Amino acid sequence: MPLLAVLDRLDLNTPVEGKPLLSRLCTMHLPLNEVLSGREIVFTKDQDNKSALHEAIIADDISSAYWCFKNHIENNKDNFGNSPILEAIKLGRRSLFLLCLHYEFYDSMAPHICATYNRAWELRVLHGMGMDVLNVRDSRHMTPLETAVYNYSY
């Protein structure tokens, strides 16, 4: 029996391979607005503290990410310190990066992650929004420029 045929009878937080079913659905490029219409949504995280939004970004599923924002998912970091916007930057998901900014899911480490992963376009977007991307310091007291030099000085 296809999953969509019984989805209305399943608990969306049922673990599937260590992740909540809802997080798995966010990686399947499904029309979640239609599939989950009328359901009460409670977002839970997996053992790595990744949310459904993290999973949608990893899967490059912009419609699922949009659905997560529309259903008021919280901006959390996983156990590795990655917020949704940092995942988008690391993976080069420009549309998802912009969607995170639109919903004000910002992370103060964004300029440093841009520098670490050589994401100049994202850094220019942040700068264009009036954010200080040159002087902000991380926990090591390094600026994004110092981070870039440190990471690319072979």
Side-chain angles (χ1 to χ4, degrees), residues 42-129:
V42 177
F43 290 104
T44 57
K45 299 168 191 78
D46 66 11
Q47 67 268 18
D48 292 328
N49 208 30
K50 286 189 183 297
S51 67
L53 181 57
H54 283 91
E55 297 297 337
I57 290 171
I58 291 166
D60 199 15
D61 188 345
I62 194 161
S63 64
S64 291
Y66 179 73
W67 180 86
C68 289
F69 284 118
K70 287 301 211 182
N71 283 280
H72 311 290
I73 195 164
E74 64 182 52
N75 188 13
N76 73 294
K77 290 189 176 191
D78 63 18
N79 292 344
F80 309 102
N82 296 317
S83 63
I85 195 168
L86 298 184
E87 288 280 10
I89 292 168
K90 287 179 177 184
L91 297 171
R93 313 272 199 249
R94 289 182 175 180
S95 297
L96 291 159
F97 165 76
L98 293 173
L99 193 61
C100 287
L101 287 178
H102 176 77
Y103 283 96
E104 299 179 0
F105 271 42
Y106 182 69
D107 189 305
S108 62
M109 285 300 296
H112 292 86
I113 298 301
C114 289
T116 299
Y117 286 84
N118 199 21
R119 304 286 189 225
W121 182 87
E122 290 85 345
L123 202 53
R124 285 193 304 271
V125 169
L126 295 173
H127 181 67
M129 294 178 67

Coordinates of all heavy atoms in Angstrom, one line a residue, residues 42-129:
V42 N 3.4 19.1 14.7 CA 4.3 19.3 15.8 C 5.7 18.8 15.3 O 5.9 17.7 15.0 CB 3.9 18.4 17.0 CG1 4.9 18.5 18.1 CG2 2.5 18.8 17.5
F43 N 6.6 19.8 15.2 CA 7.9 19.5 14.7 C 8.8 18.8 15.8 O 8.9 19.4 16.9 CB 8.6 20.7 14.2 CG 8.0 21.3 13.0 CD1 7.2 22.4 13.0 CD2 8.3 20.7 11.7 CE1 6.7 22.9 11.8 CE2 7.7 21.2 10.6 CZ 6.9 22.3 10.6
T44 N 9.4 17.7 15.5 CA 10.3 17.1 16.4 C 11.6 16.9 15.7 O 11.7 17.0 14.4 CB 9.8 15.7 16.9 OG1 9.6 14.9 15.8 CG2 8.6 15.8 17.7
K45 N 12.7 16.7 16.4 CA 14.0 16.6 15.8 C 14.5 15.2 15.9 O 14.1 14.4 16.7 CB 15.0 17.6 16.5 CG 14.5 19.0 16.4 CD 15.2 19.9 17.4 CE 14.6 21.3 17.4 NZ 13.4 21.3 18.3
D46 N 15.6 14.9 15.1 CA 16.1 13.5 15.2 C 17.2 13.5 16.2 O 17.4 14.5 17.0 CB 16.7 13.1 13.8 CG 17.9 14.0 13.3 OD1 18.4 14.7 14.1 OD2 18.2 13.8 12.1
Q47 N 18.0 12.4 16.3 CA 19.0 12.2 17.4 C 20.1 13.2 17.2 O 20.8 13.5 18.2 CB 19.5 10.8 17.4 CG 20.3 10.4 16.2 CD 19.5 9.7 15.1 OE1 18.2 9.8 15.1 NE2 20.1 9.0 14.2
D48 N 20.3 13.8 16.0 CA 21.3 14.8 15.8 C 20.8 16.2 16.0 O 21.5 17.2 15.7 CB 21.9 14.7 14.4 CG 22.8 13.4 14.3 OD1 23.4 13.0 15.3 OD2 22.8 12.9 13.2
N49 N 19.5 16.3 16.4 CA 18.8 17.6 16.7 C 18.5 18.3 15.4 O 18.4 19.5 15.3 CB 19.6 18.5 17.6 CG 18.7 19.4 18.4 OD1 17.5 19.1 18.7 ND2 19.2 20.6 18.7
K50 N 18.5 17.6 14.2 CA 18.2 18.2 12.9 C 16.7 18.2 12.8 O 16.0 17.3 13.2 CB 18.7 17.4 11.8 CG 20.2 17.5 11.6 CD 20.7 16.9 10.3 CE 22.2 16.9 10.1 NZ 22.7 18.3 10.0
S51 N 16.2 19.3 12.3 CA 14.7 19.5 12.1 C 14.3 19.1 10.7 O 15.1 18.9 9.9 CB 14.3 21.0 12.4 OG 14.9 21.8 11.4
A52 N 13.0 19.2 10.5 CA 12.5 18.9 9.1 C 13.0 19.9 8.2 O 13.3 19.6 7.0 CB 11.0 18.9 9.1
L53 N 13.3 21.2 8.6 CA 13.8 22.2 7.8 C 15.3 21.9 7.4 O 15.6 22.0 6.2 CB 13.7 23.6 8.4 CG 14.3 24.8 7.6 CD1 13.6 24.9 6.3 CD2 14.1 26.0 8.4
H54 N 16.0 21.4 8.3 CA 17.4 20.9 8.0 C 17.4 19.9 6.9 O 18.1 20.0 5.9 CB 18.1 20.3 9.2 CG 18.6 21.3 10.2 ND1 17.9 21.7 11.3 CD2 19.8 21.9 10.4 CE1 18.6 22.5 12.0 NE2 19.8 22.6 11.5
E55 N 16.5 18.9 7.0 CA 16.4 17.8 6.1 C 15.9 18.3 4.7 O 16.4 17.9 3.7 CB 15.4 16.7 6.6 CG 15.9 16.1 7.8 CD 17.2 15.3 7.7 OE1 17.5 14.9 6.6 OE2 17.8 15.1 8.7
A56 N 15.0 19.3 4.7 CA 14.5 19.9 3.4 C 15.6 20.6 2.7 O 15.8 20.5 1.5 CB 13.3 20.8 3.6
I57 N 16.5 21.3 3.4 CA 17.6 22.0 2.9 C 18.6 21.0 2.3 O 19.1 21.2 1.2 CB 18.2 23.0 3.9 CG1 17.2 24.2 4.1 CG2 19.6 23.5 3.4 CD1 17.6 25.1 5.2
I58 N 18.9 20.0 3.1 CA 19.9 19.0 2.6 C 19.4 18.3 1.3 O 20.2 18.1 0.4 CB 20.1 17.9 3.7 CG1 20.9 18.6 4.9 CG2 20.9 16.7 3.2 CD1 20.9 17.8 6.2
A59 N 18.1 18.1 1.3 CA 17.5 17.4 0.1 C 17.3 18.4 -1.1 O 16.8 18.1 -2.2 CB 16.2 16.8 0.4
D60 N 17.5 19.7 -0.8 CA 17.3 20.8 -1.8 C 15.9 20.8 -2.3 O 15.6 21.0 -3.4 CB 18.3 20.6 -3.0 CG 18.4 21.9 -3.8 OD1 18.1 23.0 -3.3 OD2 18.9 21.8 -5.0
D61 N 15.0 20.7 -1.3 CA 13.5 20.7 -1.5 C 12.9 22.0 -1.1 O 12.6 22.2 0.1 CB 12.9 19.5 -0.8 CG 11.4 19.4 -1.2 OD1 10.8 20.3 -1.7 OD2 10.9 18.3 -0.9
I62 N 12.9 23.0 -2.0 CA 12.5 24.4 -1.6 C 11.0 24.4 -1.2 O 10.6 25.1 -0.3 CB 12.8 25.4 -2.7 CG1 12.7 26.8 -2.1 CG2 12.0 25.2 -3.9 CD1 13.4 27.9 -2.9
S63 N 10.1 23.6 -1.8 CA 8.7 23.6 -1.5 C 8.5 23.1 0.0 O 7.7 23.6 0.7 CB 7.9 22.9 -2.5 OG 8.2 21.5 -2.5
S64 N 9.2 22.1 0.3 CA 9.1 21.5 1.7 C 9.7 22.6 2.7 O 9.1 22.7 3.8 CB 9.9 20.2 1.9 OG 9.2 19.2 1.1
A65 N 10.8 23.2 2.4 CA 11.3 24.2 3.3 C 10.3 25.4 3.4 O 10.1 25.8 4.6 CB 12.7 24.8 2.7
Y66 N 9.7 25.8 2.4 CA 8.7 26.9 2.4 C 7.6 26.4 3.3 O 7.1 27.2 4.1 CB 8.2 27.2 1.0 CG 7.1 28.2 1.0 CD1 7.4 29.6 1.2 CD2 5.8 27.9 0.7 CE1 6.5 30.5 1.1 CE2 4.8 28.8 0.6 CZ 5.2 30.2 0.9 OH 4.2 31.1 0.8
W67 N 7.1 25.2 3.2 CA 6.1 24.6 4.0 C 6.5 24.7 5.5 O 5.6 25.0 6.3 CB 5.7 23.2 3.5 CG 4.7 22.6 4.3 CD1 3.3 22.7 4.1 CD2 4.8 21.8 5.5 NE1 2.6 21.9 5.1 CE2 3.5 21.4 5.9 CE3 5.9 21.3 6.2 CZ2 3.3 20.6 7.0 CZ3 5.7 20.5 7.3 CH2 4.4 20.1 7.7
C68 N 7.7 24.3 5.8 CA 8.2 24.4 7.2 C 8.1 25.8 7.7 O 7.6 26.0 8.9 CB 9.6 23.9 7.3 SG 9.8 22.1 7.0
F69 N 8.5 26.8 7.0 CA 8.4 28.2 7.4 C 7.0 28.6 7.6 O 6.7 29.2 8.6 CB 9.1 29.1 6.4 CG 10.6 29.1 6.4 CD1 11.3 28.7 5.3 CD2 11.3 29.5 7.5 CE1 12.7 28.7 5.3 CE2 12.7 29.5 7.5 CZ 13.4 29.1 6.4
K70 N 6.1 28.2 6.7 CA 4.7 28.6 6.8 C 4.0 27.9 8.0 O 3.0 28.4 8.5 CB 3.9 28.2 5.6 CG 4.2 29.1 4.4 CD 3.9 30.5 4.8 CE 3.4 31.3 3.6 NZ 3.1 32.7 4.0
N71 N 4.6 26.8 8.5 CA 4.0 26.1 9.7 C 4.8 26.4 10.9 O 4.8 25.6 11.9 CB 4.0 24.6 9.4 CG 2.8 24.3 8.5 OD1 1.7 24.2 9.0 ND2 3.0 24.1 7.2
H72 N 5.6 27.5 10.9 CA 6.2 28.1 12.1 C 7.3 27.2 12.8 O 7.3 27.0 14.0 CB 5.2 28.5 13.1 CG 4.1 29.3 12.5 ND1 4.3 30.6 12.1 CD2 2.8 29.0 12.3 CE1 3.1 31.1 11.6 NE2 2.2 30.1 11.7
I73 N 8.1 26.6 11.9 CA 9.2 25.8 12.5 C 10.2 26.8 13.2 O 10.3 27.9 12.8 CB 9.9 25.0 11.4 CG1 10.8 23.9 12.0 CG2 10.7 25.9 10.5 CD1 11.2 22.8 11.1
E74 N 10.9 26.3 14.2 CA 11.8 27.2 15.0 C 13.2 27.1 14.3 O 13.5 26.1 13.7 CB 11.9 26.8 16.4 CG 12.4 25.4 16.7 CD 12.4 25.0 18.2 OE1 11.4 25.1 18.8 OE2 13.5 24.6 18.6
N75 N 13.9 28.1 14.6 CA 15.3 28.2 14.0 C 16.2 27.6 15.1 O 16.6 28.3 16.0 CB 15.7 29.7 13.8 CG 17.0 29.9 13.1 OD1 17.5 28.9 12.6 ND2 17.5 31.1 13.0
N76 N 16.6 26.4 14.9 CA 17.5 25.7 15.9 C 18.8 25.2 15.2 O 18.8 25.1 14.0 CB 16.8 24.5 16.5 CG 16.6 23.4 15.6 OD1 15.9 23.4 14.6 ND2 17.3 22.3 15.9
K77 N 19.8 25.0 16.0 CA 21.0 24.4 15.5 C 21.0 22.9 15.9 O 20.5 22.5 16.9 CB 22.2 25.1 16.2 CG 22.4 26.5 15.8 CD 23.7 27.1 16.3 CE 23.9 28.5 15.7 NZ 25.3 28.9 16.0
D78 N 21.6 22.2 15.0 CA 21.8 20.7 15.2 C 22.9 20.5 16.2 O 23.6 21.5 16.7 CB 21.9 19.9 13.9 CG 23.1 20.3 13.1 OD1 24.1 20.9 13.7 OD2 23.2 19.9 12.0
N79 N 23.2 19.3 16.5 CA 24.3 19.0 17.4 C 25.7 19.3 16.9 O 26.7 19.3 17.7 CB 24.3 17.5 17.8 CG 23.0 17.1 18.6 OD1 22.4 18.0 19.1 ND2 22.7 15.8 18.7
F80 N 25.8 19.7 15.6 CA 27.1 20.0 15.0 C 27.2 21.6 14.9 O 28.1 22.0 14.3 CB 27.2 19.3 13.7 CG 26.9 17.9 13.8 CD1 25.7 17.3 13.3 CD2 27.9 17.0 14.3 CE1 25.5 16.0 13.4 CE2 27.6 15.7 14.4 CZ 26.4 15.1 14.0
G81 N 26.2 22.3 15.4 CA 26.3 23.8 15.4 C 25.7 24.4 14.1 O 25.9 25.5 13.8
N82 N 25.0 23.6 13.3 CA 24.5 24.1 12.0 C 23.0 24.5 12.1 O 22.2 23.7 12.4 CB 24.6 23.0 10.9 CG 26.0 22.6 10.6 OD1 26.9 23.5 10.5 ND2 26.3 21.3 10.5
S83 N 22.8 25.7 11.9 CA 21.4 26.2 11.7 C 21.0 26.0 10.3 O 21.8 25.7 9.4 CB 21.3 27.7 12.1 OG 22.1 28.5 11.2
P84 N 19.7 26.1 10.0 CA 19.2 25.9 8.6 C 20.0 26.8 7.6 O 20.4 26.4 6.5 CB 17.8 26.3 8.7 CG 17.4 25.9 10.1 CD 18.5 26.3 10.9
I85 N 20.2 28.1 7.9 CA 20.9 29.0 7.0 C 22.4 28.5 6.7 O 22.9 28.6 5.6 CB 20.8 30.5 7.4 CG1 21.2 31.3 6.2 CG2 21.6 30.8 8.6 CD1 20.9 32.8 6.3
L86 N 23.0 28.0 7.8 CA 24.4 27.5 7.6 C 24.4 26.3 6.8 O 25.3 26.2 5.9 CB 25.0 27.3 9.0 CG 25.2 28.5 9.9 CD1 25.9 28.1 11.2 CD2 25.8 29.6 9.3
E87 N 23.4 25.4 6.9 CA 23.3 24.3 6.0 C 23.2 24.7 4.5 O 23.8 24.2 3.6 CB 22.1 23.4 6.3 CG 22.2 22.6 7.6 CD 23.1 21.3 7.5 OE1 23.7 21.1 6.5 OE2 23.0 20.6 8.5
A88 N 22.3 25.7 4.3 CA 22.1 26.2 3.0 C 23.4 26.8 2.4 O 23.7 26.6 1.2 CB 21.0 27.3 3.0
I89 N 24.1 27.6 3.2 CA 25.4 28.1 2.7 C 26.4 27.0 2.4 O 27.0 27.0 1.3 CB 26.0 29.1 3.8 CG1 25.1 30.4 3.9 CG2 27.4 29.5 3.4 CD1 25.4 31.2 5.1
K90 N 26.6 26.1 3.3 CA 27.6 25.0 3.1 C 27.3 24.2 1.9 O 28.2 23.9 1.2 CB 27.6 24.1 4.4 CG 28.2 24.7 5.6 CD 28.1 23.7 6.7 CE 28.8 24.3 8.0 NZ 28.9 23.3 9.0
L91 N 26.0 24.0 1.6 CA 25.6 23.1 0.5 C 25.4 23.9 -0.8 O 25.1 23.3 -1.9 CB 24.4 22.3 0.8 CG 24.5 21.4 2.0 CD1 23.2 20.8 2.4 CD2 25.5 20.2 1.6
G92 N 25.6 25.2 -0.7 CA 25.5 26.1 -1.9 C 24.0 26.2 -2.4 O 23.8 26.3 -3.6
R93 N 23.1 26.1 -1.5 CA 21.6 26.2 -1.9 C 21.2 27.6 -1.8 O 20.6 28.1 -0.8 CB 20.8 25.3 -0.9 CG 21.3 23.9 -0.7 CD 20.8 22.9 -1.7 NE 20.9 21.6 -1.2 CZ 21.7 20.7 -1.7 NH1 22.5 21.0 -2.7 NH2 21.8 19.5 -1.3
R94 N 21.4 28.4 -2.9 CA 21.2 29.8 -2.9 C 19.7 30.1 -2.7 O 19.4 31.1 -1.9 CB 21.6 30.4 -4.2 CG 23.1 30.5 -4.3 CD 23.6 31.1 -5.6 NE 25.0 31.3 -5.6 CZ 25.7 31.8 -6.6 NH1 25.0 32.3 -7.7 NH2 27.0 31.9 -6.6
S95 N 18.8 29.4 -3.3 CA 17.4 29.7 -3.1 C 16.9 29.5 -1.7 O 16.2 30.3 -1.1 CB 16.5 28.9 -4.0 OG 16.8 29.1 -5.4
L96 N 17.4 28.5 -1.1 CA 17.1 28.2 0.3 C 17.8 29.2 1.3 O 17.2 29.5 2.3 CB 17.5 26.7 0.7 CG 16.6 25.7 -0.1 CD1 17.2 24.4 -0.1 CD2 15.2 25.6 0.6
F97 N 19.0 29.6 0.9 CA 19.7 30.6 1.7 C 18.8 31.9 1.7 O 18.5 32.5 2.7 CB 21.0 30.9 1.0 CG 21.7 32.2 1.5 CD1 22.3 32.3 2.7 CD2 21.7 33.3 0.6 CE1 22.9 33.5 3.1 CE2 22.4 34.4 1.0 CZ 23.0 34.5 2.2
L98 N 18.3 32.3 0.5 CA 17.4 33.5 0.4 C 16.1 33.3 1.2 O 15.6 34.3 1.8 CB 17.2 33.9 -1.0 CG 18.4 34.3 -1.8 CD1 18.0 34.5 -3.3 CD2 19.0 35.6 -1.2
L99 N 15.6 32.1 1.1 CA 14.3 31.8 1.9 C 14.6 32.0 3.4 O 13.7 32.5 4.1 CB 13.8 30.4 1.5 CG 12.4 30.1 1.9 CD1 11.4 31.0 1.2 CD2 12.1 28.7 1.5
C100 N 15.7 31.5 3.8 CA 16.0 31.6 5.3 C 16.1 33.1 5.6 O 15.6 33.5 6.7 CB 17.3 30.9 5.6 SG 17.2 29.1 5.6
L101 N 16.8 33.9 4.8 CA 16.9 35.3 5.1 C 15.5 36.0 5.1 O 15.2 36.8 5.9 CB 17.8 36.0 4.1 CG 19.3 35.7 4.2 CD1 20.1 36.4 3.1 CD2 19.8 36.1 5.6
H102 N 14.7 35.6 4.1 CA 13.3 36.2 4.0 C 12.5 35.9 5.3 O 11.8 36.8 5.8 CB 12.6 35.6 2.8 CG 11.2 36.0 2.7 ND1 10.8 37.3 2.3 CD2 10.0 35.4 3.1 CE1 9.5 37.4 2.3 NE2 9.0 36.3 2.8
Y103 N 12.7 34.8 5.9 CA 12.0 34.5 7.2 C 12.8 34.8 8.4 O 12.5 34.4 9.5 CB 11.5 33.0 7.2 CG 10.3 32.8 6.3 CD1 10.4 32.3 5.0 CD2 9.0 33.1 6.8 CE1 9.3 32.2 4.2 CE2 7.9 32.9 6.0 CZ 8.1 32.5 4.7 OH 7.0 32.3 3.9
E104 N 13.9 35.6 8.2 CA 14.7 36.1 9.3 C 15.4 34.9 10.1 O 15.5 35.1 11.3 CB 14.0 37.1 10.1 CG 13.5 38.3 9.4 CD 12.7 39.3 10.2 OE1 12.5 39.0 11.4 OE2 12.3 40.3 9.6
F105 N 15.7 33.9 9.4 CA 16.4 32.8 10.1 C 17.9 33.0 9.9 O 18.6 32.4 9.1 CB 16.0 31.4 9.5 CG 14.8 30.8 10.1 CD1 13.7 31.5 10.5 CD2 14.8 29.4 10.4 CE1 12.6 30.9 11.1 CE2 13.8 28.8 11.0 CZ 12.7 29.6 11.4
Y106 N 18.4 34.0 10.6 CA 19.8 34.4 10.4 C 20.7 33.8 11.5 O 20.2 33.4 12.6 CB 19.9 35.9 10.5 CG 21.4 36.4 10.3 CD1 22.0 36.3 9.1 CD2 22.1 36.9 11.4 CE1 23.3 36.7 8.9 CE2 23.4 37.4 11.2 CZ 24.0 37.2 10.0 OH 25.3 37.6 9.8
D107 N 21.9 33.6 11.2 CA 22.9 33.0 12.2 C 24.1 33.9 12.1 O 24.6 34.2 11.1 CB 23.2 31.6 11.8 CG 24.0 30.9 12.9 OD1 25.1 31.4 13.2 OD2 23.6 29.8 13.3
S108 N 24.6 34.3 13.3 CA 25.7 35.2 13.3 C 27.0 34.6 12.7 O 27.9 35.3 12.4 CB 26.0 35.7 14.8 OG 26.3 34.5 15.6
M109 N 27.0 33.3 12.6 CA 28.2 32.6 12.0 C 28.1 32.6 10.5 O 29.1 32.2 9.8 CB 28.3 31.2 12.5 CG 28.8 31.1 13.9 SD 30.5 31.8 14.1 CE 31.4 30.7 13.1
A110 N 27.1 33.1 9.9 CA 26.9 33.1 8.4 C 28.1 33.7 7.7 O 28.6 33.1 6.7 CB 25.6 33.7 8.0
P111 N 28.6 34.9 8.0 CA 29.7 35.4 7.3 C 31.0 34.5 7.3 O 31.7 34.4 6.3 CB 30.0 36.8 7.9 CG 28.7 37.2 8.5 CD 28.1 35.9 9.0
H112 N 31.2 33.9 8.5 CA 32.4 33.0 8.6 C 32.2 31.7 7.8 O 33.2 31.2 7.2 CB 32.6 32.7 10.1 CG 33.0 33.9 10.9 ND1 32.1 34.8 11.4 CD2 34.2 34.4 11.1 CE1 32.8 35.8 12.0 NE2 34.1 35.6 11.8
I113 N 31.0 31.2 7.8 CA 30.7 30.0 7.0 C 30.9 30.3 5.5 O 31.4 29.5 4.7 CB 29.3 29.4 7.3 CG1 29.3 29.0 8.8 CG2 29.0 28.2 6.4 CD1 30.4 27.9 9.2
C114 N 30.4 31.5 5.1 CA 30.6 32.0 3.7 C 32.1 32.0 3.3 O 32.5 31.5 2.3 CB 30.0 33.3 3.5 SG 28.2 33.4 3.5
A115 N 32.9 32.5 4.3 CA 34.3 32.6 4.0 C 34.9 31.2 4.0 O 35.8 30.9 3.2 CB 35.0 33.5 5.1
T116 N 34.5 30.4 4.9 CA 35.1 29.0 5.0 C 34.8 28.2 3.7 O 35.6 27.5 3.2 CB 34.5 28.3 6.2 OG1 34.9 29.0 7.4 CG2 35.0 26.8 6.3
Y117 N 33.6 28.3 3.2 CA 33.2 27.6 2.0 C 33.3 28.3 0.7 O 32.8 27.9 -0.3 CB 31.7 27.0 2.2 CG 31.7 25.9 3.2 CD1 31.6 26.2 4.6 CD2 31.8 24.6 2.8 CE1 31.6 25.2 5.5 CE2 31.8 23.6 3.7 CZ 31.7 23.9 5.1 OH 31.7 22.8 6.0
N118 N 34.0 29.5 0.7 CA 34.2 30.3 -0.5 C 32.9 30.7 -1.2 O 32.8 30.5 -2.4 CB 35.1 29.5 -1.4 CG 35.8 30.5 -2.4 OD1 35.8 31.7 -2.2 ND2 36.2 29.9 -3.5
R119 N 31.9 31.1 -0.4 CA 30.6 31.5 -0.9 C 30.5 33.1 -1.0 O 29.9 33.7 -0.2 CB 29.5 31.0 0.0 CG 29.5 29.5 0.2 CD 29.0 28.8 -1.0 NE 28.9 27.3 -0.7 CZ 29.3 26.4 -1.4 NH1 29.9 26.6 -2.6 NH2 29.1 25.1 -1.1
A120 N 31.2 33.6 -2.0 CA 31.3 35.0 -2.2 C 29.9 35.7 -2.5 O 29.6 36.7 -2.0 CB 32.3 35.4 -3.3
W121 N 29.1 35.0 -3.3 CA 27.8 35.5 -3.6 C 26.9 35.7 -2.4 O 26.3 36.8 -2.2 CB 27.1 34.5 -4.6 CG 25.7 35.0 -5.1 CD1 25.5 35.8 -6.1 CD2 24.5 34.7 -4.5 NE1 24.1 36.0 -6.2 CE2 23.5 35.4 -5.2 CE3 24.1 33.9 -3.4 CZ2 22.1 35.3 -4.9 CZ3 22.7 33.8 -3.1 CH2 21.8 34.5 -3.8
E122 N 26.9 34.7 -1.5 CA 26.1 34.8 -0.3 C 26.7 35.9 0.6 O 25.9 36.7 1.2 CB 26.1 33.5 0.5 CG 25.3 32.4 -0.2 CD 26.0 31.6 -1.3 OE1 27.1 32.1 -1.7 OE2 25.6 30.5 -1.7
L123 N 28.0 36.0 0.7 CA 28.6 37.1 1.5 C 28.2 38.5 0.9 O 27.9 39.4 1.7 CB 30.1 36.9 1.4 CG 30.9 37.6 2.6 CD1 30.4 37.1 3.9 CD2 32.4 37.2 2.4
R124 N 28.2 38.6 -0.4 CA 27.7 39.9 -1.0 C 26.3 40.2 -0.7 O 25.9 41.3 -0.4 CB 27.9 39.9 -2.5 CG 29.4 40.1 -2.9 CD 29.6 40.4 -4.4 NE 29.0 39.4 -5.3 CZ 29.6 38.3 -5.7 NH1 30.8 38.1 -5.4 NH2 29.0 37.5 -6.6
V125 N 25.4 39.2 -0.7 CA 24.0 39.4 -0.3 C 23.9 39.9 1.1 O 23.2 40.8 1.4 CB 23.2 38.1 -0.5 CG1 21.8 38.2 0.1 CG2 23.1 37.7 -2.0
L126 N 24.6 39.2 2.1 CA 24.6 39.7 3.5 C 25.1 41.1 3.6 O 24.5 41.9 4.3 CB 25.4 38.7 4.3 CG 24.9 37.3 4.4 CD1 26.0 36.4 5.2 CD2 23.6 37.2 5.1
H127 N 26.1 41.4 2.9 CA 26.7 42.8 2.9 C 25.7 43.8 2.3 O 25.5 44.9 2.9 CB 28.0 42.8 2.2 CG 28.7 44.2 2.2 ND1 29.2 44.7 3.3 CD2 28.9 45.1 1.2 CE1 29.6 45.9 3.0 NE2 29.5 46.2 1.7
G128 N 25.0 43.4 1.2 CA 24.0 44.2 0.6 C 22.8 44.5 1.5 O 22.1 45.5 1.3
M129 N 22.6 43.6 2.4 CA 21.5 43.8 3.4 C 21.9 44.7 4.6 O 21.1 44.9 5.5 CB 21.0 42.4 3.9 CG 20.4 41.6 2.8 SD 19.9 40.0 3.4 CE 18.5 40.4 4.6

